[in-house]
Amino acid sequence: RTHMYPGVDGFLRLHSTYRHDLKIYSSDEGRVQVTAAAFAKGLLDLGGHLTPILASLVRKSAKINTLLDDSSSAKKELEEAKKYLHHQMVTEED
């Protein structure tokens, strides 16, 4: 987060502006929801416990499970995104 969004003007400002619009989708499995809340906490540099973050930012429902479960139609795009992200994470900037 600090590399991609340096200083307080990056993603944290976006978060404070759009706090109520930002949602993170999760399956209805408990450990996945806690992981999603921990991700949000780290990305947005939030303090406190995971429970309020889970309640306010993580969405879960049967419809969302349908969206998250079948990714076969996007397999090519997912592989391209994984390659791009891997390259971004292992490449050092000058």
Side-chain angles (χ1 to χ4, degrees):
R1 181 187 54 79
T2 57
H3 176 72
M4 299 275 302
Y5 306 100
V8 294
D9 293 330
F11 201 75
L12 294 176
R13 180 195 289 179
L14 174 71
H15 169 62
S16 65
T17 306
Y18 296 105
R19 180 176 186 167
H20 298 291
D21 295 332
L22 178 66
K23 297 294 179 195
I24 297 172
Y25 296 101
S26 170
S27 72
D28 57 1
E29 189 176 344
R31 65 185 176 95
V32 177
Q33 293 174 17
V34 171
T35 301
F39 168 78
K41 181 178 181 177
L43 180 69
L44 301 173
D45 197 25
L46 300 172
H49 297 286
L50 292 178
T51 305
I53 297 168
L54 180 64
S56 63
L57 294 177
V58 179
R59 286 201 163 179
K60 58 259 178 218
S61 73
K63 284 185 178 181
I64 291 170
N65 281 346
T66 303
L67 290 172
L68 295 174
D69 285 344
D70 182 21
S71 61
S72 60
S73 62
K75 185 172 183 163
K76 180 182 174 187
E77 290 84 358
L78 287 171
E79 289 301 319
E80 289 175 8
K82 287 178 187 178
K83 287 178 186 176
Y84 173 78
L85 291 172
H86 181 266
H87 177 73
Q88 293 296 326
M89 291 172 25
V90 298
T91 304
E92 292 186 28
E93 291 184 18
D94 294 333

